Amino acid sequence: MSPVSVPSTVTAVQSSVKETPVASKHPLDPLTPDEITAASLAIRHYVAEKTEVKAVKFITLYLLPPPKKTVLAHLGIPTSPGAKAETPTPIIRQAESDFLDLTTGNSYNAILSYRDLKWQVDTFEKLPEALHAQISPEELIAAEEAVRKDPVVQKLAADVGVAPHQIVCDGWSIGYDERFPKQRRVQQALAYARFSEHDNLYAHPLDFVPVLDANSEEVIHIDFPPTYKKTPNGPTLSVSSTVPPALSNAEEALAHSGRERIHPPLAGQNFLPDLMAEDDKNFKLRDDIKPLHIVQPEGVSFKMNGHELEWQNWKMHISFTQREGIALSTITYNDHGEIRPIIYRLSLAEMVVPYGAPEYPHPRKFAFDSGEYGMGTMANELSLGCDCLGQIHYLPGAYVSNNGSAVIIKNVICIHEEDAGVLWKHTDYRPGGRSQTVRRRRLVVSMVCTLANYEYIWNYHFYQDGSIEFEIRLTGILNVYIADKDEMSPHGTIVAPGINAQYHQHLFSVRIDPMIDGLSNSVVESDIIPLPDAPTGSAANFGGNAFVSKETVLTSEAGRPFDWAKERRWKIINSARKHHASSKNVGYSIGMKGGATPMMARPDSWAAKRAAFVTNALWVCRDVEGTKGSRMWPAGKYVPQTRSEPEDSLGKWVEGKQNVENEDLLVYVTVGTTHIPRPEDWPVYVDSPVQGVFDTDFDTRSMPVEHLSVTLKPNSFFKANPSMDVPGTYDLKSVPAFSNRATNGDSESNGAHGCH
């Protein structure tokens, strides 16, 4: 078995079965390292005995979930209001795998079942030649080595003062490039120089972009982006057109760019403290920050049973997945003894990052970070005391390596509680009135993923008032390209001398598989509008202030745009149960106003054709379960190198116009942010709030973190505020910041009314 080259985010590699797999605790538990190694071995045996495949290269291997109703019956969760759970039936554990034949480049898919204490291949399918499974971490690592050893690349690097051992690159999907055959598995490599072991490579971008064959690991072409020249009429491109040039050798490609070679910037732009001190002898870390500890002297308030969690009336299953990173399933709420189902599965289904520079080859930079690479495979092993603070429980994750071994990330999912401000408060201001303050506690389920330069932090928040929030945070380092002397691009910001950070967007598709009090749900669209046909001064609206909420039930599969003028919003409801006072159907409202972001690329652009899910803020379709599970992936299952919208994707599903009223349905929510970089985003991007639900701000050596969130809030679901039974808080550990009353007066003594 060939050795496994793994990223620094990985804990260990397991190449053989240590214990014979036994029955899992929960039908949705992810495959264990033992199951991955056993299942990959079963595929190898099958391939050797029954096929002509010669050299297997594994890409994916993951749990194939049982049918939805089978899982709900197993867990005793009813599928309609007031009903009993269905009778459980036996569950056979299944797995699915995508892999390649290295000798031919062909792709294959297999489904396995665990029967008689061993994995057995049920189906074996050769995929159409244009389909490519996601790019594995090992392929990304191999891309750098292939580029570094290529003699043409070495010559090009040497011409601008870079030695072979200083060449580094980020492997990317090719995006969209018709110059290469569909069946060839290709990557583009964004090249940089690294002048010392841990030097920030993004500070030294190179002026060329190699393209390589991921299977043969050979460089097959090199592109040279043109530059912008200063003119009296503003920046002008060094070529007459942004049309891709024909494939050629490196010398001809450079000539086509219409510019000379550009030497990489040499100045250090580091983010590691010891290297920052080398860059700037006057640098020192702040020394006026005093410790801030998070303690729970009586322990945590949540309980874990394997991957199943219970906290403050919530119960859910938490799973590591190779593609989504975290998948939360079978989410229920204990409403005074009644177990009420809310969501069957919640996860990030896809995302795309389109860049805005039109000069070739930059237009092919629009990474589908989930579908092309996989959030789980890019996840970090988290560290106690920095990534996660307080009393933490971790869950592990594992995915398959190219040779069939299990790649293990030990502490990949972090679970903890945190204070989140005031839950609710009211003071009776009248003389002698009383007040009550209740602080908000929330449960956090989180993961951090590194996608080359960017970090994504995924936080699922659960609140005591029955609300759910999926928060997306962005940090890391900007993707940058070299800028020539005095070059000013109209499509980017020069964040440091010689470093151009191009404008780009981050667009996310959040998949909600609802089960609001059961599986028969509908989506209601609400527009907030002035009272129709009632002008100011009329009998119906004399003061001119009236407005109403106009509600429309979506009856057929569709994508729906956000409408800022109408304060458009949506809720998922169950018409079989109504609220006792409002008489409205029980439901959950979707909050995403702050993150509603239109794609800036044109509707017929390469990016929009491949990522049609971004054209609407919300999509509703029927859930259709087959032998390979439910409808899942909005941009298709096989994303790398697609050139149009796949048939098995969200935009195509809704063309069926199936009924979605009182049905088992899926809701996809599109949110995003447009990043116009600032010099303060360099060298790392920082987390700073902006407006509304969606906070946005950057800082780039490593960028400060940016926030985005989607909320799900009960709407006529509970009798009243479900958090009224949360006790008021009087924290005896809270003390005045300063003890010198002479300086501060009595301003820091406790208020007259206390906390309650």
Side-chain angles (χ1 to χ4, degrees), residues 335-352:
D335 186 8
H336 298 93
E338 180 186 0
I339 305 302
R340 301 183 69 181
I342 296 176
I343 296 177
Y344 184 75
R345 186 182 174 103
L346 175 65
S347 67
L348 175 81
E350 190 53 271
M351 62 170 290
V352 64

Side-chain angles (χ1 to χ4, degrees), residues 45-78:
H45 286 166
Y46 182 92
V47 164
E49 296 169 5
K50 299 185 179 182
T51 76
E52 296 181 356
V53 175
K54 301 300 182 184
V56 173
K57 179 181 181 179
F58 287 98
I59 303 296
T60 66
L61 178 55
Y62 49 84
L63 177 76
L64 183 59
K68 188 181 302 183
K69 288 187 175 181
T70 303
V71 172
L72 295 176
H74 177 86
L75 299 177
I77 298 174

Side-chain angles (χ1 to χ4, degrees), residues 564-575:
W564 282 267
K566 296 179 180 178
E567 280 279 335
R568 180 164 289 170
R569 57 198 66 190
W570 294 274
K571 62 182 175 181
I572 308 169
I573 58 104
N574 189 324
S575 63

Side-chain angles (χ1 to χ4, degrees), residues 81-131:
K84 293 183 178 180
E86 296 182 2
T87 303
T89 57
I91 295 177
I92 297 175
R93 196 156 167 84
Q94 290 189 298
E96 183 175 1
S97 178
D98 293 306
F99 52 93
L100 312 176
D101 181 352
L102 278 176
T103 60
T104 63
N106 293 330
S107 299
Y108 297 87
N109 175 271
I111 294 177
L112 305 89
S113 296
Y114 189 66
R115 301 187 302 270
D116 302 325
L117 296 179
K118 64 179 180 179
W119 287 98
Q120 302 177 43
V121 175
D122 297 331
T123 65
F124 180 87
E125 174 189 5
K126 181 182 176 183
L127 299 176
E129 64 177 15
L131 297 185

